[in-house]
Amino acid sequence: MSWPQLNSPCLWEHASIVLEIGFLGILLLLFVRKSMESLCRRRTKVMSAEKYSIGAKSGLSYKISIGCAILLLGTHLMMLMMPQSRNVAHCKSTIPILSSEIMKVLSWAITLIALYKIQKNKDIRFPWILRTWWFCSFLLSIACTIIDAHLIVTTHAHIGAHDCFDFLDLLASTCLLGVSIRGKTGIVLNYPNGITDPLLSGKDTKHSEGKKDCPYGKATLFQLITFSWLNALFEVGIKKPLDQDEVPNVDIKDSAGFLSHSFDESLKLVKERDGTTNPSIYKAIFLFARQKAAINAFFAVISASASYVGPYLIDDFINFLSNKNTQTLGSGYLLALGFLGAKIVETITQRQWIFGARQLGLRLRASLISHIYKKGLVLSSQSRQSHTSGEIINYMSVDIQRITDFMWYVNTIWMLPVQISLAVYILHMNLGLGSLVALAATMTVMAGNIPLTRVQKRYQSKIMDAKDDRMKATSEVLRNMKTLKLQAWDSHYLHKLESLRKTEYNWLWKSLRLSAVSSFIFWGSPAFISVVTFGGCALMGIPLTAGRVLSALATFRMLQDPIFNLPDLLSVVAQGKVSADRVASYLQEHEIPSDATESVPKDQTEFDIQIDSGNFSWDTESRRPTLDGIQLKVKRGMKVAICGTVGSGKSSLISCMLGEMPKLSGRVKISGRKAYVPQSAWILTGNVRENILFGKPYDSVKYDKTVEACALTKDFELFSAGDLTEIGERGINMSGGQKQRIQIARAVYQDADIYLLDDPFSAVDAHTGRQLFEDCLMGILKDKTILYVTHQVEFLPAADLILVMQNGRIAQAGTFEELMKQNIGFEVLVGAHNQALESILTAESSSRTTEHATTDGESNTEPGPDAEFPPTKQDSRHNLCVEITEKEGRLVQDEEREKGSIGKEVYWSYLTTVKGGALVPIIILAQSSFQILQIASNYWMAWACPTGNTEPTIAMNFILLVYMLLAVGSSICVLVRATLVAITGLQTAQKLFSNMLNSFLRAPMAFFDSTPTGRILNRASTDQSVLDLEMANKLGWCAFSIIQLLGTIAVMSQVAWEVFIIFIPVTAICIWYQQYYIPTARELARLSGIQRAPILHHFAESLTGAATIRAFDQKDRFIDANLLLIDSHSRPWFHNVSAMEWLSFRLNQLANFVFAFSLVVLVTLPEGIINPSLAGLAVTYGINLNVLQASVIWNICNTENKMISVERILQYSNISSEAPLVIEDCRPPNNWPDNGTICFTNLKIRYAEHLPSVLKNISCTFPGRKKVGVVGRTGSGKSTLIQAIFRVVEPREGSIIIDDVNISKIGIHDLRSRLSIIPQDPTMFEGTVRGNLDPLEQHSDAEIWEALDKCQLGELVRTKEEKLESTVVESGENWSVGQRQLFCLGRALLKKSSILVLDEATASVDSATDGVIQKVISQEFKDRTVVTIAHRIHTVIDSDLVLVLSDGRIAEYDTPAKLLEREDSFFSKLIKEYSMRSQNFNSLAKLQH
């Protein structure tokens, strides 16, 4: 048993000489090049040296490298002095030894000089030549050490000085290897002014340049292969958590703008080729992606082919080991080289195709999202009604994700046939006809998977539908949270969401149960196929040798992937197809026709608006048009008022001029630019100034004029950050009046020619309304064409033309005087207004007559010192509970993201949610048993089968029987494990979901005011999806892949323990790489999660305001903003994916290194030390080492990334909640409140600790069964008082007592369910009329009809076919705002509480309807307490008492008559203002009489 001779007598000496000569040669070349360059640059160098003298401080890496180089130089000098002591057993000649040592001394001396130059030149990185040299010298010294160790063992020699030097050599080389991998010198520069600048720390200049350019775009071929273009990003990420602005841009070819344009081109091409207006989205995607997909396919096929070289060579390798004495070592090394070469090719191409597939997914996602967005801006109203915003947002988040997943799997299509045919070829070479049995078994398993996939596809689409329904309901609940809380319906809607989730849960459970069966097939398939194949071979009499068996087993393990990928592929294709169809059908929906309005140049006509016999309908199928026979000509500069009862078609008339409404016939001509103010204010998230500028450049003079004309100056003074105050989502922290004025200011600033204003004065009080009309409509816009819808009659006389709408027709048109004379319908509207005014004037005059009889002191409180009562600092209408920070006036804070590693407690809480984590050890035990049984079965086959030509010692039937039993046992373990993972995962997801749902539905209003719904929806959809379908498997795979890896290492080291020597340092390097990678990757994953929400949020906002965006011609600006947001998301996402490849590439190469080393050990070991078939088994397992090792790291990183979803859901599971719904010990009596007396005592309310009080020491009593009006300027605290009654805000001090019950002591559900409110913003829910009036189903049909008749809607509902089941679409869009207000009145009538609160409830209805509502309220609620907050004075003039608030204090509180007696009272001033506004109208009315 002698050590086999190496081919060359002095192999390593020769190798090192070649290396050193190469190193010195390259250095010489570099030196010559440098000298030439320095000659050319000498002059400039001298000049700059005079300017700056920069000092430098050495870093740790630099010091280590100097120390190691000196140590190595010293050891080689010593060796040179005593060459004779070298153990010359393997190299008889001393010349190679001498020359090798001399070269080494030279090389290390030159290394020291080079290191000195680095310090002098202040280089940040070590030159590549040095790093390569250090790497090679490490390999050389490890080889020398192994040879020395072997010689000592085999010849039983003593350890000499030479061996000690070799060991020192190895230590120093290992340190240098570490330094060379890091690559940085760590030199810190000291500038003359004392600044120390560690290069590349944080955001230095180099980095900010990197931000502009994409390092990927400028990477060299070598950097692209090794992904080292990412190094700079990792250097920043390891020092501190990355921020969005530190992530480089994406390459121009990956930017949303470029991709969107490129996808447009593909669509155009398909259109031209097919000659169709609706091009097929599939063809467009094919054209768009084909080039990149072809490159990916090329890499994928090469990778698949290279992976089969290993199994192909195993039989040869075992034959070599069995017959070592007849073969040369060279052939063994060649085989090892073949294994290694194939592995390197496989890993490099695999990384490239996976990265390419991700990149293609990114490109497709960006182009499709931008298309869905563009489509959303031009959807016709009908299409808009058939797709709710929740659905469209789902297309963008979920469906696009599925289409991009398909791009990843598409490469499997090319790989499958290659993998299967190569496998059959290898099996055929080894087993002859046995390969056909294997093929048949493989096909059977694959075919068995197909029906499973079909069922899975059905389940998937059911899950999607259930999820759509749940998301639709969730977004509706979030939009109308305030209404739900005030009406005490939150519990009902919580149950509704829970029942929708139950449906989804049932489908999820079916789907996951099926997945468990699939995974059983996956893990069991190699065992099944091998049992069948070996059985077939035994029957056919094909001899099974160890080599053949192991080659076959390796092949079956390779086949496991394609077998499993097929059903996966099919299900992804199925999901992708469903999603692509959904997106395609949406992209082919009707758009607003571009010819709806015709544009006429200004010089060709004197009319700005012309409508000729126009018929328009919202529903094109309907027989009755919404607008019928419209004839209208509006001259330039005219003021046109549009009035009419609720639902008569006023807003529709404005819509048809904007081109929003489908035109059945006629022509609409528009001359000039339009500006539009919709009835429901549409405010963008951002600051006030951005909302007003709306894309126009800032011109301070014009801006200030606009702000003044729109009565916003005072508001700006009170906002914490002036006009830079941040507005919450949907303008949540602005009062209705402020939002409306900001909208008007936006229109005014646009400086358009035509202004279309839909009821602009409804949300503002009398004083502001007059100011707006005079300064804005009649002032700054006096030369413009204006059409305004209004219910306030006092704004009609000033119009040049008044249109009276009735049932979708223009019933009357003319000036105010003309219409008053006509006597048909118009005077009904005016009459209602007149009566209201009359009541005020009589009240005023009667109080004047008794004035001398009463003294001023009679009113309860002195009038406030400031007669003007300016609006106060707090905004009254909405809860500003959230801190508005002074610095930015921010209400909505940036989305919170955790920094640093994901806490252990997140993992712990996830694992222990179900049964305290009791199932986790069982799962791990099942997987470990599977692994042990599988290794045992393979071991048994390798051990029992004969090698070479020897005869079998055990009967083949017995061998196969044992193998089969072991295989069946291992498969059963898998089934148990898969089922348990599915059960635990789903139950955990369900529990976390219900915790989050309960948590945010019970959160106080403050939470919703400061949290954009996008954030909550993102957690409820995307993050919840991850928990439902992915999280448990990801976490499971983590454990399973580690168990597999440990099994493989155990097998390899059991055969050749030497593998452990190399495995330990390699594992250490792997762990170091992973630690280096994780901080960067984790922050990138978090950033991409956070950057996803703004895309959805911006999209939802744009959908709501699409009409405004189109009217202002701002589509392009919004599309560009969307592209920017897509890029902001692509940046961290792309770099996160690349970072994963960066890590995988490095780990793969390390695994290849271990595999190669173990092969070299097996080849080099003398014959007879190991059993060749067991060595073959080690190789069989070793082939998969790189895949396994990468999968461990990949699974750990992937789990960490997905765990962020759990972290985000847990964030929203611990929101501090409102007061309890019911307090059992303090339940009010059943008939409470009976009398309805509300008593305020020292009430103080503030929205946040650091903000001043909004209500200050309010003490008064609203007597039971009386009507109390509450008035005051915008921001005086009116709405806060109402919120306090409903406990939407809790008092800081003081109390509110209703009928002797302190409301702070009872549950909020008991309180809110006993009070009624008609809120300022009328809300309706998707569903039916009945569901909207009586969601809790407490009333009979008769009661509902009675309520509908009382609130003037009975007739309207009866005309509809479905009566009470008539549909209400999302947000009640198919009912006018006035009708929605009447529905809210209907709810209050049904509820019949003793206390009714009206919050400016009639702001959106005309005077006539308003009169009716007031009448209904006074009749129906005559024995109840009614508290009214009003802008229209006549609504409170009839009250029993009036409370005037100013600056959060009570200014006056008395009967209207008493207050009017004093001329200086605030109430008198309001009345005066109102009557003055109507003075000119009054004189006209008198003329008429």
Side-chain angles (χ1 to χ4, degrees), residues 32-45:
V32 171
R33 191 176 131 209
K34 273 269 194 273
S35 309
M36 298 296 289
E37 282 175 358
S38 63
L39 277 170
C40 307
R41 292 189 192 154
R42 185 158 288 170
R43 273 190 61 212
T44 53
K45 271 269 170 76

Side-chain angles (χ1 to χ4, degrees), residues 295-435:
I295 296 169
N296 291 347
F298 172 72
F299 281 131
V301 169
I302 289 180
S303 170
S305 311
S307 66
Y308 279 91
V309 173
Y312 175 74
L313 292 177
I314 280 182
D315 197 22
D316 296 334
F317 191 69
I318 291 176
N319 288 339
F320 167 80
L321 293 179
S322 308
N323 311 313
K324 248 189 192 169
N325 44 9
T326 60
Q327 302 199 24
T328 61
L329 263 184
S331 57
Y333 286 130
L334 266 177
L335 271 173
L337 192 66
F339 273 115
L340 179 65
K343 275 282 148 213
I344 288 175
V345 169
E346 181 201 341
T347 48
I348 288 175
T349 49
Q350 187 185 28
R351 298 279 57 92
Q352 290 304 319
W353 84 251
I354 289 178
F355 172 70
R358 296 275 184 207
Q359 195 179 19
L360 183 56
L362 168 95
R363 290 178 179 180
L364 194 58
R365 184 175 63 212
S367 53
L368 284 174
I369 286 181
S370 68
H371 261 74
I372 289 177
Y373 182 83
K374 283 183 198 166
K375 185 76 183 184
L377 290 184
V378 292
L379 276 184
S380 68
S381 60
Q382 259 184 304
S383 311
R384 192 57 196 85
Q385 285 191 0
S386 61
H387 296 272
T388 63
S389 48
E391 269 175 45
I392 300 177
I393 284 171
N394 246 351
Y395 298 145
M396 211 180 238
S397 56
V398 183
D399 291 307
I400 297 293
Q401 187 56 49
R402 296 194 156 176
I403 296 171
T404 49
D405 283 349
F406 170 68
M407 279 298 128
W408 156 270
Y409 274 94
V410 82
N411 290 299
T412 320
I413 298 174
W414 335 124
M415 288 163 74
L416 266 174
V418 175
Q419 286 169 315
I420 291 174
S421 41
L422 282 173
V424 172
Y425 171 69
I426 292 168
L427 290 171
H428 184 68
M429 282 190 58
N430 287 322
L431 303 174
L433 288 173
S435 61

Side-chain angles (χ1 to χ4, degrees), residues 97-300:
I97 294 180
L98 268 171
S99 45
S100 163
E101 289 302 341
I102 291 166
M103 296 298 284
K104 277 185 179 144
V105 169
L106 254 177
S107 302
W108 288 111
I110 288 173
T111 303
L112 271 170
I113 297 165
L115 285 170
Y116 166 71
K117 294 281 281 182
I118 285 173
Q119 169 80 343
K120 202 171 163 205
N121 295 344
K122 306 178 182 64
D123 290 332
I124 311 155
R125 307 186 72 83
F126 290 110
W128 64 269
I129 177 76
L130 268 186
R131 291 165 69 188
T132 314
W133 160 237
W134 290 341
F135 180 70
C136 296
S137 67
F138 167 73
L139 290 180
L140 272 177
S141 57
I142 212 170
C144 285
T145 311
I146 288 169
I147 290 169
D148 285 354
H150 191 84
L151 286 171
I152 290 166
V153 171
T154 48
T155 58
H156 305 296
H158 292 293
I159 295 175
H162 211 291
D163 301 312
C164 296
F165 285 139
D166 266 352
F167 184 67
L168 278 175
D169 205 345
L170 178 64
L171 281 180
S173 298
T174 310
C175 290
L176 284 177
L177 174 73
V179 172
S180 76
I181 289 173
R182 187 155 186 270
K184 287 173 68 179
T185 57
I187 287 175
V188 180
L189 303 185
N190 293 322
Y191 287 97
N193 58 1
I195 297 169
T196 316
D197 181 34
L199 284 136
L200 273 173
S201 72
K203 304 178 193 172
D204 64 320
T205 50
K206 192 155 186 182
H207 179 71
S208 57
E209 281 167 25
K211 158 76 180 68
K212 290 186 205 105
D213 305 319
C214 170
Y216 170 72
K218 298 194 294 192
T220 59
L221 181 66
F222 176 74
Q223 287 177 324
L224 288 175
I225 292 171
T226 60
F227 295 92
S228 50
W229 52 270
L230 274 167
N231 290 355
L233 185 65
F234 279 112
E235 280 159 12
V236 181
I238 195 79
K239 288 181 190 150
K240 59 183 269 304
L242 279 177
D243 286 321
Q244 177 72 8
D245 55 354
E246 288 165 327
V247 182
N249 280 336
V250 285
D251 185 33
I252 185 76
K253 286 188 178 165
D254 295 322
S255 66
F258 176 86
L259 295 167
S260 174
H261 175 71
S262 155
F263 195 72
D264 273 341
E265 294 297 310
S266 305
L267 279 169
K268 263 190 210 142
L269 211 67
V270 175
K271 261 187 199 168
E272 286 162 18
R273 203 180 285 172
D274 297 357
T276 163
T277 48
N278 271 343
S280 151
I281 189 171
Y282 295 108
K283 289 182 182 172
I285 289 176
F286 170 73
L287 279 178
F288 173 77
R290 62 183 176 187
Q291 190 182 358
K292 182 78 184 163
I295 296 169
N296 291 347
F298 172 72
F299 281 131

Side-chain angles (χ1 to χ4, degrees), residues 632-646:
L632 179 66
K633 287 187 178 178
V634 179
K635 279 192 177 160
R636 196 156 294 139
M638 268 177 93
K639 308 284 176 283
V640 180
I642 303 168
C643 62
T645 53
V646 169

Side-chain angles (χ1 to χ4, degrees), residues 8-22:
S8 152
C10 311
L11 179 74
W12 294 108
E13 305 302 342
H14 287 146
S16 66
I17 291 172
V18 171
L19 251 174
E20 284 138 15
I21 289 174

Side-chain angles (χ1 to χ4, degrees), residues 811-881:
Q812 291 170 278
T815 59
F816 191 78
E817 292 92 332
E818 289 165 14
L819 293 179
M820 286 305 279
K821 287 173 190 150
Q822 281 179 18
N823 263 355
I824 42 167
F826 180 63
E827 72 286 349
V828 178
L829 292 169
V830 177
H833 174 77
N834 228 354
Q835 279 170 352
L837 192 65
E838 207 74 337
S839 63
I840 290 169
L841 295 172
T842 42
E844 219 178 342
S845 54
S846 66
S847 60
R848 289 281 166 273
T849 52
T850 56
E851 191 173 357
H852 59 272
T854 53
T855 59
D856 280 5
E858 266 186 35
S859 71
N860 292 5
T861 37
E862 288 301 307
D866 181 0
E868 262 310 291
F869 300 115
T872 55
K873 179 122 185 174
Q874 259 61 32
D875 173 325
S876 72
R877 168 156 170 269
H878 261 285
N879 214 346
L880 267 183
C881 331

